[in-house]
Amino acid sequence: MQRNKILLATAIGLTFNTLTAQATTYSVTDLGTLGGGNSYARGINASGQVVGDVYPSGNGGPSHAFLYSNGAMQDLGTLGGGDSYARGINVSGQVVGHANPAGNGTEHAFLYSNGAMQDLGTFGGTYSYAFGINDSGQVVGYAATTGNAGSHAFLYSNGAMQDLGTLGGRDSYAFGINDSGQVVGISSTADNVAYHAFLYSNGAMQDLGTLGGSYTQPTGINASGQVVGYDYTAGDGTQYGFLYSNGAMQYLGTLGGTYSYPAGINASGQVVGTANTAGDASRAFLYSNGAMTDLNTLIAANSGWTLLYAGAINDQGQIVGYGINAQRKVHAFLLTANTAPVPVPAAVWLFGSVLAGFGLFRRRKAA
C-alpha cells in the first residue's frame, strides 16, 4: 500500500512538473528610425535603454547615434561633424561611441552624459574610438598615438585617458569592461604579426592566447570575468566564437556554417551575436546552457522578422540587434522574453498513463 502511494505521488509530481515546464520565446519590438533609413541597435542597459545608430535623413546621409528610452528614439547628435555611432550604455544612461569632430575627417571617442556629447580626445594622433562603459562611468576603447604611429587601448576614468600599453607590440585595442574595472581587448605581440586576446586587471595586461587562429579578439566581459569573442584563421577564412571562463577558452560553434561572432554576454553567461547557417545566411543567435540557438526560431513564425544580428543582452535577458522587418526594412529591434507553459496534451497523456498503470497494478494484486 505504501509503495502504491509513492507511485501515485511520483506520477502526480512528474505530471505537475511537465505541466509547469516553461519554454522561452521572445516578443519583438521594432525600434523604428528617426524618419529616415536603416537603424542598428548595439547596446542595452539594465533598465532596457537601447543605443545604436540610425540614418535620420535616409541611407545616403550621415549616421547619428541614438538613445531609445520609454518607447521613443532620441537623436544624440554629433561632435559637430557628419557622423556619430553609439556602442555602449551604462545604468545611469551614459552613452559611449565615436563621432566626427567639426572640420575633422577622422573620428573621436565620445561620452554622452547629462544631455551633452564630450570629445574624449586621443593619445596625440588623429582618431579614437570608444566601445564600452561600466556603471562607474569608466570608458574603454583605443586611440592613436602621436603621429598615428600606433593604436593603444585606453581606460578613461575621472576625466583622464590612461594608456593600457600592449603585449610587447605596437598596437592594442580595448572592447569591453565590467563593473570591477576588468578590460578585454586584443594586442599585437613583440613581432607585431600575431594578435592575442588580453585581460587587463589590477594594472596588468594578461595574455589570454589564441585558439590557434591568426588572431583572437574579445568583444565583451561580464561581472564574473567571463570573456566572449572570436578566433579568426586567415588561411581558410573561418571565424569561430569563443567563451573564456575559469582560465580556459572554448569554442561556441556556429549555426551550421563557417563563422560565428559573439557580441555580448550577461551576468548569467548568456551570449548573443551572429553566425552563418549551412546555407551561408547570417542569423542572430543566443548561446545558453551550452547550446547555440537561432533567435529566429524563438519568435513568432508570423512576425515577419528575420533577425540578422544580436549586439547585446542585459541581465534581465532582453536582447537588442537589427534585422529585416515585415516591411523589408533594416531596423533595430528589442527582444523581450515571454515565458509560456508548454502545451498540455503530452503531460495529460503522461498523467493518464501512469494512473492507468497504477490501476492495473492494483487489479493484478487483487487477483
Side-chain angles (χ1 to χ4, degrees), residues 319-337:
I319 300 169
V320 295
Y322 59 85
I324 301 171
N325 66 12
Q327 291 72 46
R328 311 307 298 164
K329 305 292 184 181
V330 177
H331 280 196
F333 66 73
L334 168 65
L335 301 185
T336 303

Side-chain angles (χ1 to χ4, degrees), residues 121-141:
T122 73
F123 286 133
T126 62
Y127 60 84
S128 60
Y129 299 84
F131 290 93
I133 183 170
N134 66 13
D135 288 344
S136 299
Q138 295 177 301
V139 182
V140 295

Side-chain angles (χ1 to χ4, degrees), residues 166-249:
T166 72
L167 290 172
R170 183 186 61 235
D171 302 309
S172 61
Y173 310 84
F175 297 105
I177 183 171
N178 64 14
D179 287 339
S180 299
Q182 294 177 301
V183 181
V184 291
I186 186 172
S187 173
S188 57
T189 55
D191 59 6
N192 288 315
V193 175
Y195 282 81
H196 288 195
F198 74 76
L199 171 65
Y200 182 91
S201 183
N202 298 317
M205 184 178 287
Q206 174 190 353
D207 188 338
L208 299 185
T210 74
L211 278 169
S214 304
Y215 61 86
T216 302
Q217 178 175 319
T219 55
I221 182 170
N222 69 5
S224 302
Q226 293 178 301
V227 180
V228 291
Y230 62 91
D231 189 67
Y232 175 77
T233 302
D236 57 13
T238 56
Q239 177 178 302
Y240 296 118
F242 72 80
L243 171 65
Y244 178 90
S245 184
N246 297 318
M249 192 178 289

